[in-house]
């Protein structure tokens, strides 16, 4: 049975009921949910129980008036989890992730913490690296604590449209001699379900995007364009555009 009870030091008006389950593992998966995400958190807990993964999902109130405000609760949740589990590695995951198997390989990632850094196009000639925190490894080290403290402090100066990851970019620039940041293997990084590699152990199916009015139209147009481009390339070259340029999931989409 899932243990759903308030933290001993929580204000039940603000924190409600956490969702937690222990299997005595060496690490703990952590996350958080606001009231509107509670069904997703309950489903995620069941998913973790299937794989006998210890977890603690923290109940949090809705803050501010935007989705970005909610994401800025991540470092505070991580700080609470470090106090609750001071000697254990923590794996933060968004509650709209799904685990497909053994995730212990995440612990092989280097650094005080590890996350995915995603290549993002800036126009046609430039690219930039963008951190993503759908899945994030925290080790029980002083460096990890320094990272969390810096991230949490940065949220105090966030603008209305700043997500947790926008603040994180500044924090990562202050990392030398304070904390070492590693990179997660893609199969553990919580890549979107439609783009995830075939060996993905952790995938992400965004609730946030699907609740936005333009999501279905945008995704449908993207798929229509991709299918047309793949067909044209197959006729011209004998292979699809995705295969030619090594796009993730190409094997699944062209079977």
């Amino acid at each position: 049975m899932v243990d759903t009870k308030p933290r001993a030091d929580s204000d039940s008006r603000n924190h409600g009921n956490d969702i937690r389950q222990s299997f005595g593992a060496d690490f703990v998966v952590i996350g958080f949910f606001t009231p509107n995400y509670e069904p997703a958190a309950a489903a995620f807990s069941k998913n973790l129980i299937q794989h006998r993964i210890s977890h603690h999902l923290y109940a949090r109130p809705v803050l501010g008036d935007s989705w970005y405000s909610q994401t800025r609760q991540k470092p505070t949740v991580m700080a609470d989890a470090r106090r609750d589990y001071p000697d254990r590695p923590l794996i933060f995951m968004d509650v709209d992730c799904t685990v497909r198997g053994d995730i212990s390989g995440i612990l092989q990632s280097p650094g005080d913490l590890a996350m995915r850094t995603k290549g993002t196009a800036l126009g046609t000639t430039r690219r930039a690296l963008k951190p993503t925190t759908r899945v994030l490894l925290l080790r029980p080290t002083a460096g990890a604590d320094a990272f969390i403290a810096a991230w949490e402090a940065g949220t105090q100066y966030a603008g209305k449209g700043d997500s947790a990851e926008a603040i994180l970019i500044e924090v990562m620039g202050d990392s030398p001699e304070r904390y070492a940041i590693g990179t997660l293997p893609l199969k553990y990084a919580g890549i979107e379900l439609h783009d995830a590699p075939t060996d993905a152990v952790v995938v992400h199916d965004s609730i946030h995007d699907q609740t936005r009015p333009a999501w279905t139209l945008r995704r449908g147009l993207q798929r229509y364009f991709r299918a047309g481009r793949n067909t044209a390339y197959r006729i011209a070259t004998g292979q699809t555009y995705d295969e030619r340029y090594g796009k993730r999931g190409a094997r699944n989409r062209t079977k």
Side-chain angles (χ1 to χ4, degrees):
M1 178 180 291
V2 179
D3 177 12
T4 57
K5 55 188 177 184
R7 285 165 46 82
D9 59 350
S10 73
D11 179 344
S12 61
R13 294 171 299 174
N14 293 330
H15 297 299
N17 290 333
D18 293 355
I19 300 175
R20 67 187 94 174
Q21 179 69 56
S22 176
F23 293 101
D26 294 333
F27 62 88
V28 179
V29 167
I30 62 168
F32 81 100
F33 60 96
T34 50
N36 54 322
Y37 273 64
E38 188 166 2
F44 184 46
S45 175
K46 290 180 181 178
N47 170 231
L48 294 172
I49 288 171
Q50 289 174 347
H51 297 283
R52 298 187 62 80
I53 296 173
S54 297
H55 57 277
H56 189 155
L57 309 179
Y58 291 79
R60 287 294 184 263
V62 173
L63 297 182
D65 58 358
S66 72
W67 172 79
Y68 298 104
S69 301
Q70 313 323 312
T71 69
R72 296 197 294 268
Q73 299 196 60
K74 287 187 178 184
T76 300
V77 169
M78 293 177 189
D80 280 348
R82 281 288 297 126
R83 289 188 285 269
D84 288 343
Y85 306 97
D87 302 318
R88 297 166 77 178
L90 303 174
I91 302 171
F92 177 91
M93 292 189 189
D94 286 349
V95 297
D96 45 3
C97 285
T98 300
V99 170
R100 294 172 164 177
D102 180 14
I103 62 171
S104 61
I106 293 177
L107 302 179
Q108 303 303 315
S109 303
D112 294 304
L113 61 137
M115 68 186 81
R116 182 190 176 202
T117 50
K118 175 183 177 182
T120 301
L122 299 176
T124 58
T125 60
R126 296 183 300 155
R127 294 185 68 82
L129 287 177
K130 175 185 175 183
T132 67
T133 58
R134 292 171 184 164
V135 182
L136 189 150
L137 168 67
L138 291 167
R139 297 194 185 281
T141 65
D145 290 339
F147 165 80
I148 294 169
W151 194 11
E152 193 171 14
T155 63
Q156 301 175 29
Y157 306 100
K160 185 175 181 180
D162 288 338
S163 68
E165 290 170 352
I167 300 163
L168 187 57
I169 293 172
E170 300 296 327
V171 175
M172 291 176 71
D174 195 30
S175 64
E177 300 182 6
R178 300 187 63 198
Y179 33 84
I181 301 176
T183 302
L184 288 178
L186 289 181
K187 67 180 181 179
Y188 299 121
I191 295 173
E192 286 293 346
L193 190 60
H194 51 77
D195 280 332
T198 55
D199 64 345
V201 182
V202 182
V203 295
H204 184 261
D205 194 9
S206 178
I207 294 175
H208 167 64
D209 278 348
Q210 294 180 40
T211 59
R212 299 173 68 176
W215 187 89
T216 301
L217 175 61
R218 176 171 60 83
R219 184 57 63 197
L221 289 173
Q222 287 175 341
R223 288 173 177 163
Y224 179 80
F225 172 76
R226 175 176 280 167
R229 183 177 62 185
N230 279 330
T231 299
Y233 264 76
R234 184 183 289 279
I235 292 171
T237 68
Q239 60 181 172
T240 68
Y241 178 92
D242 289 352
E243 291 170 332
R244 184 179 180 88
Y245 293 101
K247 298 293 184 180
R248 285 191 303 274
R251 285 177 295 175
N252 285 344
R253 287 192 290 267
T254 57
K255 283 182 180 179

